[in-house]
Amino acid sequence: MTHHEHHHGPAAESAGGIEPASGPEPGAAREQAGAAEPGSGPEQGAVPEPALAEAAKPAPAPASAARPKLAVWKFASCDGCQLSLLNCEDELLSIAGAVHIAYFPEATRAVVEGPYDLSLVEGSITTPEDMRRIHEIRAQSGTLVTIGACATAGGIQALRNWADVDEFRSIVYAHPEYLSTLDTSTPIASHVDVDYELRGCPVDKRQLIEVLAAYLNGRKPRIPTYSVCVECKRKGNICVPVANGTPCLGPVTQAGCGALCPTYGRGCYGCFGPQDTTNTASLTTQLVELGMADADIVRVYRTFNAGAPEFEAAGNAVEAGGAR
Amino acid sequence: MTHTLKDGGQVLNVGMLARVEGEGGMHIEIKDRKVVDVQLNIFEPPRFYEGFLRGRHYTEPPDITARICGICPVAYQSASTEAMEVICGVQTTDAIQTMRRLLYCGEWIESHALHIFMLHAPDFLGYDSVLEMAETHGDVVQMALRLKKCGNDLMDTVGGRAIHPVNVRVGGFYRMPALADLMALRPELERGLEDALAAVQLVSTFDFPDMEQDYTYVSLRHPDYYPLERGAEVVASSGVRFPVAEMPLHVEEFHVAHSNALHARFDGEPFFVGPLARYTLNFDQLSPRCQEAALSAGLTETCRNPFKSIIVRTVELAYAFEEALRIIDGWTDGHAPSVPTWPRAGEGVGASEAPRGTIWHRYRVNEAGIIEDAQIVPPTSQNQSSIEMDLRTAAEQWVDLDDHALTHRCEAAIRNYDPCISCATHFLDLRVKRS
Ligand code: SF4
Ligand code: SF4
């Protein structure tokens, strides 16, 4: 199941894995294992119900018959994506029955030594020390899954990539020299091979359970790669840009939240990041038609997934040449 | 995890303090059974929110600052919306304020239930985690998960999502929740209130170390309510009181070498924000039922034992359930979700009571609505000096314990604060050095 040459050991052999659509290239784990097609997926980009039961039942016994060891790691982040795991109140005890929670500092003092079968990684790389630590984690992990916008796109803290970090340091801190921090915030896949990336700020807990269930059953996660628009249509939402002239990133944003924002009458602000094929140029034109100034359009692309290549390019293009 | 230094001193080293939000360490140096140095090291990498908020639009902080913390996003949303409304010169309606309070009740329930049962109770019961606790205290853990879920459901219904709610805007909400959806939560909230009141008695049976600290308590205060989504003024146990807008005149932030989070002083002194401060300064504003629950659990109207914060937090948990039910019972459909706002040049402060304590934001905005300056002061930052003070007292008081036991006590002393280190930098490696 593993395609990483650099980590052998018991972890790699003992458990089922998530098979990406194709082998991941180092530094480019945008596989997103596109399995579901528009119209064929479950409602709201959600997980088919059986997945929960599937997660709850013990893994198809790995050779060792031991539960796979799960580790949860944190880099620069808000803890929201790991909290999504603790927020699975109805499923938490089943999850703890299906996997051995071996390292999860937010939840337990107990530390079981690696290697780990499955690592969930939250947060982005923003310090020299973290650049080093992620390699150690990769070496100790059978399957490595990044959770959330920080880990898959650099998060909101990637806004530093457009700014002078020395200035940021001095705005916030009286003694910038006490800090050791990088000029950039980068996704995990920029540093090590990643087996699967789960989008969202935060991740959707139903999708998180689907990823765990898929891992335990040695299959691909069924996560939709179509846009938020599809979720709106399924829900019967009125299209907010068409009906109300509200700017909306839904057409270029990957489904997963259940089209939350339009359901609440506001435009999508892109917290699930770009869908697999986006037409940001067309969306930019539409945002102009809705009356947005260039500076506003740039800011819209630069939020929680500012560092995702598609959003990064779209924002940069408007900044460089104007949207008109 | 103990090693002896060349000079004969000792270092205890815990790789990372567990069951807190974020990452940090602590360093305690003991010479001749005297504590000579205590440092809380927050090494969570800085994320520079105050830097990149400059140049953003005044409508953006509720969504952006929510991402400082996944555990208390509503605290950030409430303080930032209030600051912006001060700047815009708009008054929201009572209905909007009430709905903000209901959303905040959801956050208190979710966050307090998480901390009380999943992060803090294992210390008193001698477990490493709630998952281990589940083997012997299955019914308590089931109850805890139910309570926490009530909070999340409330946040989902009012805010659209439990983590980083999408329904909050400067001026109010995008959409008011429907009474029918709120009523659907009622049965579980009623059960939650009963469970929380029972939990107050349960946690009061824990074994509490004797430790009383002479803190300067600071909290919001409101004439009509226990402080939550806002207060009318700031009050301190020193007797000082002033409007929220004057917070920057009393709280001074400063940077020390051993922490990525700024420290703070209140009128030049270390101070304490959080449940113990809120409770002690606002006991009279608790509901009669919660006052009674607190007193029958052995608390008095003031509480200065930081380990008993778990009881106070549970009283507040019950209070949040009661408030949620009260608000839902008084709710009617048909209120406007927001008031219109326009940018105006100016400066404003907004404050609210995060589960961990007072949080305040100050912004300066120009006439085009662009943010020129932002200051965000979360509770854990303000509490760092108090945490260090408790660590010093704990290390002095229990200096004769073996390293393992002392380490555990000190960790627990930090967890009393439910510190949110993600917030404070926008955690903990324990080192005790003995010689
Ligand atoms: S992706 Fe969003 S929710 Fe997840 S850790 Fe980052 S900021 Fe928090
Ligand atoms: S911003 Fe878009 S992707 Fe995020 S919750 Fe809203 S609708 Fe969903």
Side-chain angles (χ1 to χ4, degrees):
Chain A
M1 74 117 217
T2 176
H3 24 263
H4 302 284
E5 320 261 309
H6 54 277
H7 58 93
H8 304 288
E13 272 90 56
S14 66
I18 293 167
E19 289 301 330
S22 58
E25 284 118 50
R30 311 216 158 264
E31 308 299 328
Q32 282 283 333
E37 291 301 318
S40 71
E43 198 51 39
Q44 293 194 8
V47 189
E49 283 307 318
L52 298 184
E54 206 184 344
K57 88 176 177 240
S64 64
R67 289 173 299 161
K69 280 158 80 178
L70 173 77
V72 183
W73 309 94
K74 175 184 157 61
F75 291 87
S77 68
C78 83
D79 286 37
C81 288
Q82 341 177 24
L83 181 66
S84 299
L85 191 57
L86 295 175
N87 278 358
C88 298
E89 291 94 358
D90 295 335
E91 302 88 8
L92 189 64
L93 296 177
S94 310
I95 293 171
V99 297
H100 176 189
I101 299 181
Y103 182 81
F104 188 1
E106 177 157 343
T108 179
R109 289 181 85 228
V111 175
V112 181
E113 298 275 305
Y116 306 98
D117 298 297
L118 174 62
S119 279
L120 300 179
V121 181
E122 173 191 272
S124 67
I125 304 297
T126 61
T127 68
E129 163 61 17
D130 285 350
M131 255 170 100
R132 188 194 58 74
R133 188 162 62 102
I134 189 61
H135 285 275
E136 267 176 22
I137 292 169
R138 172 72 270 185
Q140 290 186 74
S141 307
T143 298
L144 189 152
V145 175
T146 62
I147 53 171
C150 293
T152 64
I156 184 84
Q157 51 277 7
L159 289 176
R160 72 177 71 189
N161 302 359
W162 283 268
D164 177 354
V165 172
D166 287 336
E167 195 187 313
F168 276 7
R169 279 193 192 99
S170 60
I171 288 171
V172 184
Y173 294 98
H175 294 282
E177 71 279 9
Y178 294 165
L179 299 175
S180 145
T181 175
L182 299 168
D183 289 345
T184 54
S185 166
T186 43
I188 302 301
S190 306
H191 302 268
V192 295
D193 289 352
V194 168
D195 296 279
Y196 190 75
E197 296 187 310
L198 189 60
R199 305 283 183 86
C201 178
V203 293
D204 180 89
K205 69 180 192 185
R206 296 161 300 186
Q207 292 199 338
L208 189 58
I209 291 171
E210 163 61 11
V211 166
L212 290 173
Y215 171 79
L216 289 170
N217 291 281
R219 60 166 174 79
K220 284 196 263 189
R222 289 192 284 265
I223 303 289
T225 56
Y226 47 77
S227 76
V228 169
C229 291
V230 177
E231 297 186 300
C232 264
K233 302 296 168 283
R234 286 224 188 89
K235 269 190 142 167
N237 283 344
I238 292 168
C239 178
V240 293
V242 171
N244 311 326
T246 308
C248 181
L249 285 190
V252 298
T253 300
Q254 180 164 300
C257 66
L260 275 180
C261 293
T263 308
Y264 277 78
R266 70 180 289 193
C268 168
Y269 55 85
C271 75
F272 272 66
Q275 77 175 119
D276 55 351
T277 50
T278 55
N279 188 346
T280 49
S282 167
L283 182 74
T284 300
T285 307
Q286 206 204 9
L287 296 175
V288 171
E289 276 169 23
L290 291 172
M292 288 180 82
D294 285 5
D296 298 334
I297 298 176
V298 171
R299 281 202 319 274
V300 155
Y301 284 119
R302 290 187 192 157
T303 59
F304 315 102
N305 288 281
E310 298 84 346
F311 286 1
E312 181 173 348
N316 288 351
V318 176
E319 196 168 53
R324 273 138 257 257
Chain B
M1 285 177 284
T2 307
H3 45 270
T4 308
L5 299 175
K6 282 201 191 91
D7 64 0
Q10 276 182 314
V11 174
L12 292 186
N13 201 346
V14 172
M16 152 120 67
L17 185 69
R19 305 201 314 268
V20 298
E21 289 104 19
E23 300 187 345
M26 87 183 143
H27 172 91
I28 297 176
E29 205 174 325
I30 301 171
K31 268 202 183 101
D32 305 324
R33 303 183 64 250
K34 285 256 171 325
V35 179
V36 294
D37 193 27
V38 170
Q39 290 180 357
L40 178 72
N41 314 123
I42 292 189
F43 51 76
E44 173 91 14
R47 287 176 290 155
F48 302 118
Y49 276 83
E50 283 133 319
F52 61 67
L53 278 164
R54 291 185 176 190
R56 306 294 298 204
H57 199 242
Y58 81 101
T59 53
E60 294 184 86
D63 291 328
I64 291 181
T65 61
R67 266 73 182 184
I68 292 174
C69 180
I71 293 118
C72 56
V74 175
Y76 287 88
Q77 295 187 321
S78 299
S80 63
T81 50
E82 188 183 273
M84 291 308 176
E85 287 156 11
V86 166
I87 295 172
C88 297
V90 299
Q91 285 275 333
T92 54
T93 62
D94 288 349
I96 290 168
Q97 284 304 329
T98 302
M99 196 44 66
R100 267 189 196 150
R101 190 168 176 88
L102 182 63
L103 176 63
Y104 222 129
C105 286
E107 178 156 295
W108 268 28
I109 293 171
E110 181 274 326
S111 174
H112 274 0
L114 174 78
H115 190 260
I116 295 163
F117 301 103
M118 303 177 81
L119 309 183
H120 210 190
D123 277 338
F124 295 96
L125 296 171
Y127 293 103
D128 282 341
S129 76
V130 71
L131 300 168
E132 278 181 20
M133 222 172 94
E135 286 161 27
T136 50
H137 291 73
D139 47 342
V140 176
V141 174
Q142 295 284 358
M143 177 189 72
L145 291 169
R146 263 196 330 266
L147 291 171
K148 188 164 157 297
K149 190 166 194 281
C150 280
N152 284 331
D153 288 348
L154 194 50
M155 290 170 81
D156 274 338
T157 305
V158 178
R161 178 160 65 186
I163 300 171
H164 309 330
V166 301
N167 192 23
V168 174
R169 70 191 298 175
V170 176
F173 294 90
Y174 289 90
R175 195 186 83 184
M176 279 293 182
L179 178 59
D181 293 335
L182 297 176
M183 287 303 287
L185 301 172
R186 240 193 143 278
E188 272 299 299
L189 289 170
E190 269 186 339
R191 183 178 181 190
L193 172 58
E194 295 308 320
D195 282 350
L197 287 167
V200 173
Q201 304 307 316
L202 173 82
V203 300
S204 74
T205 62
F206 291 168
D207 192 14
F208 296 101
D210 272 333
M211 181 166 141
E212 296 260 318
Q213 295 280 81
D214 187 22
Y215 304 111
T216 297
Y217 281 148
V218 175
S219 165
L220 294 179
R221 169 130 184 127
H222 193 280
D224 305 329
Y225 299 115
Y226 195 75
L228 218 165
E229 83 291 352
R230 66 170 170 183
E233 58 178 348
V234 180
V235 295
S237 52
S238 57
V240 177
R241 54 204 310 151
F242 52 84
V244 169
E246 289 172 18
M247 203 61 166
L249 301 176
H250 293 267
V251 176
E252 180 211 354
E253 288 186 290
F254 60 102
H255 194 186
V256 299
H258 64 267
S259 179
N260 282 351
L262 299 177
H263 276 236
R265 292 187 196 96
F266 181 87
D267 291 339
E269 300 290 334
F271 64 115
F272 184 119
V273 296
L276 291 182
R278 273 195 301 257
Y279 173 90
T280 300
L281 294 166
N282 297 281
F283 180 84
D284 60 320
Q285 293 290 16
L286 280 171
S287 66
R289 234 174 142 174
C290 288
Q291 287 181 346
E292 201 191 298
L295 298 176
S296 69
L299 292 178
T300 53
E301 293 185 22
T302 58
C303 180
R304 297 196 168 271
N305 181 339
F307 290 90
K308 290 190 175 168
S309 60
I310 192 168
I311 317 179
V312 172
R313 225 171 246 119
T314 315
V315 170
E316 288 194 341
L317 175 69
Y319 179 79
F321 274 104
E322 238 187 314
E323 274 297 275
L325 284 161
R326 185 187 65 78
I327 291 170
I328 292 173
D329 290 343
W331 191 250
T332 50
D333 280 330
H335 297 287
S338 64
V339 295
T341 64
W342 290 274
R344 206 170 72 166
E347 203 173 307
V349 177
S352 68
E353 283 292 334
R356 291 149 197 85
T358 316
I359 177 172
W360 54 280
H361 295 202
R362 181 187 57 81
Y363 297 98
R364 193 176 71 237
V365 170
N366 69 19
E367 53 290 335
I370 299 298
I371 298 168
E372 291 182 329
D373 192 31
Q375 184 185 9
I376 298 172
V377 187
T380 298
S381 240
Q382 303 176 83
N383 277 339
Q384 283 184 102
S385 306
S386 288
I387 298 176
E388 289 184 348
M389 187 171 121
D390 284 8
L391 277 175
R392 180 178 288 274
T393 307
E396 274 165 3
Q397 191 161 338
W398 293 301
V399 71
D400 294 326
L401 288 177
D402 67 29
D403 285 353
H404 180 82
L406 177 60
T407 298
H408 198 261
R409 272 281 153 88
C410 291
E411 281 185 43
I414 294 177
R415 278 193 289 271
N416 287 335
Y417 285 81
D418 187 6
C420 184
I421 290 160
S422 296
C423 287
T425 51
H426 311 253
F427 185 114
L428 295 174
D429 167 43
L430 172 80
R431 266 171 290 161
V432 180
K433 191 170 156 190
R434 301 191 199 233
S435 54

